[in-house]
Amino acid sequence: MKPRDTRVKPGSRVSLADWHTDGDAFVGKDKAASMARLDDDRVRLEELQELLYAEGKHRLLVVLQAMDTAGKDSTIRHVFRGVDPLGVRVANFGVPSTHELRHDYLWRVHPHVPASGEIAIFNRSHYEDVLVPRVNGAIGHAECERRYRQINDFERMLSETGTTIRKFYLHISKDEQKKRLEARRDTPKKRWKFQPGDLAVRAQWDDYRAAYDALLSATSTRHAPWHVVPADDKLARNLIVSALLIEALEGLDMRYPEPVAGVAGTPII
Ligand code: AMP
Ligand code: MG
């Protein structure tokens, strides 16, 4: 697999219609082999996260964005299954409260960025603020452009202060979303996830896609790149996200801290 194929080149114009939603280019027909690879990746991610925590120097921010049902929750569950909860935090961003709306849109986001040694996962993020209000007409073109710049500035600041950022757009097709919404509607254990509002958002599919095209084009930077992850196939999606996170952590050149002087050979009484 070549994870780099999913990366949005900074400055390029994205049209999601040109990006695959199926994972065929990434996983072979041998499902058992792919599942074994995911198990290996989990072990590797666990080792790297332990090292990140032990060294306590770097920070990793993972941003997940997607249309409904693309599998943000399930990606978190599967990819991070092996990691130590002590060093990983998930932040969910829902509809802003009236209190949050009285502040700038980054105000509620900043407290959730990772501390040294931590991984923070954003399940939705500040990118909702250039999606929902844009599609609903609450902000116009100029404000949206201003927010792209502010977001790039914010992420550059995080990067310059020691945070590695990886952003994933989980890319599903409209047909696949239909199947998954039907499954939510028809499966008792999944029904709790079905919200009538999801259908209203689905009806605005083209508008959301246009908003994603624009934000992916404007905010994939060298220090905080976007990856478009094919998500019709859940296994491919999980494999791609794990591989990219492993690559990001391996790039940090981390080391276990030196033991306290004299520890080796100390008799334990
Ligand atoms: P869920 O992820 O299914 O719990 O839904 C969360 C909802 O909150 C989604 O409909 C998001 O679009 C919405 N949401 C999250 N952040 C914002 C935001 N900044 N502005 C408006 N809606 C948001
Ligand atoms: Mg939902």
Side-chain angles (χ1 to χ4, degrees):
M1 180 172 59
K2 287 179 277 153
R4 264 185 205 84
D5 290 349
T6 59
R7 186 170 155 274
V8 175
K9 229 169 113 242
S12 63
R13 282 252 131 253
V14 176
S15 172
L16 282 169
D18 301 336
W19 293 69
H20 289 287
T21 57
D22 68 80
D24 298 352
F26 296 89
V27 289
K29 293 272 168 281
D30 187 347
K31 198 161 176 226
S34 296
M35 286 175 77
R37 208 163 77 217
L38 189 59
D39 280 338
D40 292 346
D41 281 358
R42 277 199 196 106
V43 172
R44 183 67 186 133
L45 200 57
E46 186 183 350
E47 288 166 356
L48 287 161
Q49 186 254 331
E50 192 186 314
L51 182 53
L52 180 88
Y53 188 77
E55 191 187 42
K57 193 166 132 193
H58 300 279
R59 307 155 183 169
L60 177 65
L61 172 60
V62 180
V63 174
L64 292 173
Q65 283 289 152
M67 301 288 222
D68 280 324
T69 75
K72 297 185 302 301
D73 298 0
S74 135
T75 302
I76 296 170
R77 203 161 51 241
H78 286 99
V79 171
F80 292 94
R81 184 172 289 166
V83 301
D84 186 341
L86 273 178
V88 180
R89 282 188 296 126
V90 182
N92 293 303
F93 294 97
V95 179
S97 67
T98 41
H99 180 60
E100 286 168 342
L101 285 171
R102 294 176 63 213
H103 292 270
D104 70 83
Y105 65 94
L106 290 172
W107 177 82
R108 68 170 184 160
V109 175
H110 203 168
H112 299 284
V113 303
S116 301
E118 278 186 350
I119 298 177
I121 305 162
F122 282 6
N123 189 10
R124 301 187 192 270
S125 66
H126 42 295
Y127 285 99
E128 292 291 320
D129 293 284
V130 285
L131 286 164
V132 182
R134 176 190 158 121
V135 169
N136 294 347
I139 62 169
H141 178 77
E143 175 58 15
C144 208
E145 293 290 323
R146 217 169 7 247
R147 289 187 182 192
Y148 296 147
R149 176 175 52 72
Q150 291 160 347
I151 288 171
N152 286 338
D153 287 346
F154 173 62
E155 292 179 354
R156 183 181 309 107
M157 181 278 290
L158 293 177
S159 155
E160 287 173 351
T161 51
T163 304
T164 297
I165 305 172
R166 291 292 181 274
K167 304 180 294 197
F168 301 101
Y169 173 71
L170 308 181
H171 187 29
I172 55 162
S173 64
K174 199 173 179 186
D175 286 347
E176 181 63 22
Q177 188 192 53
K178 182 164 194 271
K179 285 186 204 145
R180 293 185 188 182
L181 284 172
E182 285 168 350
R184 271 186 192 181
R185 183 194 59 195
D186 301 337
T187 315
K189 280 188 180 168
K190 290 186 176 174
R191 206 166 284 151
W192 67 275
K193 277 199 159 194
F194 192 94
Q195 293 167 322
D198 295 348
L199 295 181
V201 172
R202 178 172 166 81
Q204 294 171 305
W205 178 273
D206 292 342
D207 293 339
Y208 273 96
R209 279 286 285 260
Y212 268 114
D213 283 350
L215 84 81
L216 291 166
S217 305
T219 61
S220 194
T221 55
R222 203 184 47 75
H223 55 271
W226 275 108
H227 288 271
V228 176
V229 178
D232 282 355
D233 177 333
K234 297 172 186 175
L235 186 54
R237 176 198 72 199
N238 295 342
L239 277 167
I240 294 164
V241 172
S242 331
L244 289 165
L245 291 177
I246 289 169
E247 187 188 58
L249 288 169
E250 285 180 341
L252 294 179
D253 188 28
M254 299 181 285
R255 307 239 183 285
Y256 278 99
E258 288 298 320
V260 178
V263 160
T266 305
I268 308 291
I269 51 161

